[in-house]
Amino acid sequence: MTTPVLSVRNLTVEIPTRAGLLKPVDGISYDIAAGEILGVVGESGAGKSMTGNAVIGLLDRPARIASGEIHVNGRRIDRLSRKELRRSRGKEIGMIFQDPLTSLNPLLTIGDQLTETISEHLDVSDGEAKARAIHALEEVGIPAARDRIDAYPHQFSGGMRQRVVIALALCAEPSLVIADEPTTALDVSVQAQITALLKRLCRERGMAVMLVTHDMGVIAETADRVAVMYAGRLAELGPVRDVITAPMHPYTDGLMQATPDASEGATRLRQIPGAMPRLGSLPPGCAFNPRCPYTQDRCCQDPPPTRDVTDGRAACWFPLTEHAAIPA
Amino acid sequence: MPLDQNADPLVSIRGLTRIFDVSKPLLNRIVERLPKRLLTAVSDVSFDVPERTTYALVGESGSGKSTIGKMVVGLLNPSEGEVEIEGINLASETDPDKIEQVRSDIQMIFQDPYASLNPRWRVRDIITEPVRIRGGETDGLAEKLLEQVGLSAVDAIKFPHEFSGGQRQRICVARALASEPKLIVADEPTSALDVSVQAQVLNLMSDLKDEFGLTYILISHDLTVVRHMADRIGVLYLGRLVEEASPDALFTDPKHPYTQMLIEAAPRMDGFGREIVPPEGEIPDPISPPPGCAYHPRCPIAVERCSQERPQLEWKGQSRVACFLAE
Ligand SMILES: Nc1ncnc2c1ncn2[C@@H]1O[C@H](COP(=O)(O)OP(=O)(O)OP(=O)(O)O)[C@@H](O)[C@H]1O
Ligand SMILES: Nc1ncnc2c1ncn2[C@@H]1O[C@H](COP(=O)(O)OP(=O)(O)O)[C@@H](O)[C@H]1O
Ligand code: SF4
Ligand code: SF4
Ligand SMILES: [Mg+2]
Ligand SMILES: [Mg+2]
């Protein structure tokens, strides 16, 4: 087997608080291969962004990686110094966040930001850096890139800014891209443009992409595999079609049933009762047990092991084997 | 089939228009010799909402949905046109009793359940406020409403921060119900919520509609939500209605190229590996919208006429459509 671009093993992130130690990410393992898009879904607070930030080495204090290993192209990166990480970011790992404005410097032209990043990571002349910057903008579909390169971020629309952010994330040709809700703030038409762009670039360049989103439809259309997170743990991992059409974890099934479907009219939506527990007050056993329609005694005592959640295995004592029919 | 044939709608909107002055301050304008800048957020919108039905307004950001919602509840005055609720036009009615009656029949629910609850008030005071300011009876009201929205009577003494997003939106729904309204305008009521919680709030809204005979104007950018909830859907583009139809007609046979694009571009749960030709361009600047049909720069089937003349919203079967080429 070829080495995956990203390999995460038993990653745990801790936040010490007065109320005790919180684990927003708790024993997560997954791989992403070259040319593959891994979707990461789950309700807000599930730990999706924390997982991404841990991989890029951008955890805000006091959050810290407590255990586990992160390898990019076979090289361990969770022990790197800040300086080494900074180099790795941009060159090996590109980042795209929800709000394009936070990733762009309002005081610099688009062109300056691109050439700066390119020169920092690639050994090229100024002229070559500029040519590459223009090419990067053309690649993400900015019309008249040669003229727009001297524009400032505020002179672009929201969709155009997100394209610039993508150009910036990809201009040093990283092999791994972490995209955290890259289209959540955008209109559907622009969302469709951006996801099509990500898919094309992933395919053409053989990048590995971690796509964090809470939108099941986006996952279905964009991802090759999907990781479902709940309360900091992996609930289920697998090929996107399997997970969506035949989920094994009751939480995945609940998410699917709750999502309104455009092909159906006014039917009653299946709701998951309650809300995700706060990290400080997780129930004993399986964290999903207060909301799960299949809970049994064992679920309230022992947590199902998340360690060996791999393709086709869910962290659940009683996984759904077929497409579940939840008793109404 | 003129709109007026509808039997006695609860809400009747005619030629509704709202223009915002977005010019720089007068002094800057004189110094920099800038012209006045006017933004037409809503333009000549007409529709009816029969009692006990849900009318949904969909469209992308900036299409004028919230502006219409605010004009319906009276938070914003129309520049032109009128809103009649139970036959009464709030902007021109002079009888204070009638105004008061209509006002108490309308409530609004907003997108952000975090920002719309006063953090220093107890839930009881938040919920009963609309009744208290009218001097109504509030004994036990909050407790009763909390149970109706699926929370518990003991929650009345708590503060908003003790609740999750979905629970807060339930509190907003309870407050909206307190004055026993007939019409609720809900502006993106579930956009800030997770799908699991969204389902709870949407189901609650459907149940309450049946139970209390409510009428909703539901504002959303999410076509799938709208399909589940609406009896009639109006699609807005740059402040104008471009299509209006029943959910089934809109989804199985969209007639306006913009509606077709919206439906095609919306991600699908069964769309594994679906490759769509991404739509062209973005919504133009509303201060200087394109002439003719505002959609023509992005429309894949535009003809010459489209850039010169504006198509009117006309009946095509059971739908209303504003497009020269719609069948
Ligand atoms: N108070 C205001 N002053 C100036 N312009 C305004 C004002 N309110 C709204 N607008 C403009 O009017 C247009 C319609 O705005 P509106 O808020 O109704 O859109 P919307 O359809 O609700 O969009 P969204 O989906 O982003 O909520 C936009 O171009 C907006 O910038
Ligand atoms: N600085 C912090 N202090 C305490 N808890 C935090 C902090 N940052 C994030 N969290 C918690 O970590 C969990 C995971 O957060 P996050 O990764 O942002 O979730 P997601 O991206 O899935 O919505 C949440 O419960 C969140 O409240
Ligand atoms: S372990 Fe038990 S409670 Fe948890 S998801 Fe599985 S069946 Fe439900
Ligand atoms: S009127 Fe012309 S430009 Fe407008 S939607 Fe119809 S075909 Fe397209
Ligand atoms: Mg997040
Ligand atoms: Mg709005």
Side-chain angles (χ1 to χ4, degrees):
Chain A
M1 216 180 111
T2 50
T3 322
V5 175
L6 174 66
S7 165
V8 174
R9 284 292 165 274
N10 297 319
L11 178 68
T12 297
V13 175
E14 284 178 354
I15 304 177
T17 70
R18 260 176 296 167
L21 208 52
L22 305 181
K23 288 185 183 167
V25 178
D26 189 358
I28 282 185
S29 303
Y30 62 87
D31 290 342
I32 311 181
E36 182 182 55
I37 301 182
L38 175 81
V40 179
V41 281
E43 286 165 283
S44 93
K48 308 182 294 293
S49 300
M50 278 272 177
T51 307
N53 291 349
V55 170
I56 334 165
L58 276 184
L59 286 177
D60 289 324
R61 256 179 248 267
R64 55 161 193 253
I65 296 180
S67 58
E69 294 184 15
I70 302 167
H71 292 262
V72 173
N73 295 317
R75 188 166 74 110
R76 185 157 179 193
I77 62 161
D78 53 290
R79 293 260 171 93
L80 294 184
S81 70
R82 287 192 162 261
K83 203 168 149 216
E84 288 169 311
L85 254 176
R86 229 184 92 82
R87 252 200 96 60
S88 175
R89 241 179 270 146
K91 173 136 182 63
E92 260 183 321
I93 312 176
M95 297 162 289
I96 305 165
F97 295 110
Q98 172 167 350
D99 179 3
L101 281 181
T102 58
S103 319
L104 296 173
N105 183 336
L107 302 177
L108 292 180
T109 65
I110 301 295
D112 286 344
Q113 301 188 46
L114 283 163
T115 45
E116 194 175 282
T117 308
I118 292 167
S119 308
E120 191 182 333
H121 295 296
L122 304 174
D123 187 20
V124 292
S125 68
D126 288 357
E128 168 74 10
K130 181 160 184 203
R132 280 188 182 237
I134 293 171
H135 179 68
L137 288 177
E138 281 167 351
E139 231 188 339
V140 297
I142 303 265
R146 201 169 289 278
D147 306 325
R148 311 282 321 242
I149 197 153
D150 294 319
Y152 289 87
H154 74 264
Q155 294 171 299
F156 284 69
S157 70
M160 286 293 171
R161 273 185 218 136
Q162 196 58 302
R163 285 170 196 267
V164 173
V165 170
I166 294 178
L168 201 56
L170 303 189
C171 63
E173 306 189 340
S175 49
L176 171 67
V177 172
I178 299 194
D180 192 348
E181 309 268 8
T183 61
T184 304
L186 306 174
D187 280 321
V188 279
S189 60
V190 183
Q191 167 171 289
Q193 295 166 354
I194 299 291
T195 46
L197 172 65
L198 265 182
K199 273 208 275 199
R200 176 171 65 79
L201 292 173
C202 171
R203 200 159 43 213
E204 286 174 6
R205 296 195 182 175
M207 299 183 307
V209 178
M210 174 174 163
L211 175 67
V212 174
T213 166
H214 63 275
D215 187 326
M216 282 295 187
V218 169
I219 291 283
E221 294 195 351
T222 316
D224 301 297
R225 281 158 67 242
V226 56
V228 183
M229 287 189 71
Y230 189 77
R233 298 170 193 167
L234 264 190
E236 178 164 9
L237 183 71
V240 67
R241 189 185 289 269
D242 295 357
V243 172
I244 288 187
T245 56
M248 301 182 72
H249 198 285
Y251 175 61
T252 317
D253 187 51
L255 275 186
M256 235 60 77
Q257 309 264 3
T259 307
D261 185 346
S263 63
E264 284 169 35
T267 49
R268 206 176 161 73
L269 295 165
R270 176 87 59 187
Q271 55 192 60
I272 307 179
M276 199 166 65
R278 278 187 209 135
L279 284 179
S281 52
L282 292 186
C286 170
F288 190 55
N289 79 55
R291 307 174 75 187
C292 178
Y294 305 105
T295 310
Q296 300 189 31
D297 288 348
R298 185 175 191 189
C299 310
C300 306
Q301 286 145 18
D302 313 321
T306 52
R307 241 168 205 277
D308 40 39
V309 174
T310 52
D311 281 14
R313 287 181 67 184
C316 170
W317 293 124
F318 308 103
L320 312 170
T321 39
E322 294 177 349
H323 196 65
I326 297 185
Chain B
M1 190 169 22
L3 265 181
D4 299 328
Q5 274 182 6
N6 276 314
D8 231 5
L10 182 73
V11 185
S12 172
I13 288 167
R14 289 296 174 277
L16 197 62
T17 299
R18 173 70 206 210
I19 298 166
F20 290 108
D21 186 345
V22 291
S23 313
K24 286 197 174 169
L26 186 64
L27 199 62
N28 294 43
R29 243 170 54 215
I30 294 169
V31 175
E32 298 171 41
R33 292 170 194 274
L34 296 169
K36 217 171 167 165
R37 284 157 60 87
L38 296 179
L39 185 155
T40 306
V42 174
S43 190
D44 195 17
V45 166
S46 303
F47 62 88
D48 284 336
V49 188
E51 214 168 343
R52 295 167 185 261
T53 64
T54 298
Y55 191 99
L57 288 170
V58 288
E60 294 179 281
S61 186
S63 57
K65 307 180 293 292
S66 299
T67 307
I68 294 177
K70 286 182 195 154
M71 288 192 279
V72 171
V73 299
L75 282 176
L76 203 61
N77 283 325
S79 306
E80 272 170 56
E82 54 265 350
V83 177
E84 273 191 15
I85 294 165
E86 302 174 88
I88 290 174
N89 180 345
L90 280 180
S92 64
E93 180 60 52
T94 49
D95 181 344
D97 289 343
K98 283 190 178 167
I99 292 179
E100 183 51 32
Q101 179 54 42
V102 173
R103 280 204 186 278
S104 76
D105 280 344
I106 322 170
Q107 283 294 328
M108 188 151 183
I109 300 172
F110 296 94
Q111 168 168 355
D112 188 350
Y114 295 88
S116 47
L117 298 176
N118 187 333
R120 283 185 290 273
W121 284 16
R122 288 187 195 278
V123 166
R124 171 186 292 125
D125 300 327
I126 291 172
I127 292 179
T128 56
E129 189 199 11
V131 176
R132 244 182 313 126
I133 53 175
R134 296 199 172 82
E137 181 54 58
T138 61
D139 262 7
L141 179 64
E143 288 76 5
K144 188 185 91 189
L145 288 164
L146 281 167
E147 284 178 353
Q148 265 160 354
V149 299
L151 295 170
S152 138
V154 299
D155 290 331
I157 55 165
K158 295 185 184 162
F159 289 95
H161 72 260
E162 298 175 60
F163 297 89
S164 69
Q167 289 169 328
R168 281 178 216 213
Q169 201 58 299
R170 284 165 190 267
I171 294 171
C172 295
V173 173
R175 176 178 57 184
L177 289 174
S179 53
E180 299 181 8
K182 291 187 179 155
L183 172 70
I184 293 183
V185 176
D187 189 353
E188 308 266 11
T190 60
S191 302
L193 306 176
D194 280 309
V195 282
S196 57
V197 181
Q198 162 171 287
Q200 297 170 7
V201 173
L202 294 180
N203 285 344
L204 173 68
M205 286 179 64
S206 304
D207 294 346
L208 295 171
K209 179 184 169 203
D210 297 342
E211 201 174 325
F212 299 111
L214 294 172
T215 305
Y216 288 124
I217 292 180
L218 173 67
I219 293 169
S220 177
H221 67 279
D222 187 334
L223 282 165
T224 53
V225 164
V226 155
R227 165 127 220 216
H228 268 264
M229 300 290 288
D231 298 297
R232 192 113 185 127
I233 300 171
V235 182
L236 288 165
Y237 188 71
L238 275 182
R240 288 177 185 272
L241 268 185
V242 296
E243 181 161 3
E244 183 200 69
S246 70
D248 282 348
L250 197 80
F251 280 84
T252 55
D253 182 23
K255 294 184 189 300
H256 195 283
Y258 177 64
T259 318
Q260 291 165 359
M261 183 278 277
L262 276 186
I263 291 174
E264 174 68 12
R268 295 190 198 137
M269 292 261 286
D270 58 356
F272 304 112
R274 187 167 74 110
E275 302 277 348
I276 61 166
V277 181
E280 293 272 321
E282 290 178 45
I283 297 186
D285 179 4
I287 293 176
S288 45
C293 171
Y295 191 56
H296 86 260
R298 303 172 73 189
C299 180
I301 60 167
V303 293
E304 208 184 324
R305 183 182 179 194
C306 305
S307 56
Q308 291 149 7
E309 209 183 314
R310 184 167 50 235
Q312 300 298 312
L313 190 66
E314 283 168 2
W315 284 100
K316 305 260 191 249
Q318 298 296 310
S319 304
R320 290 194 293 156
V321 192
C323 169
F324 293 125
L325 303 185
E327 300 285 309

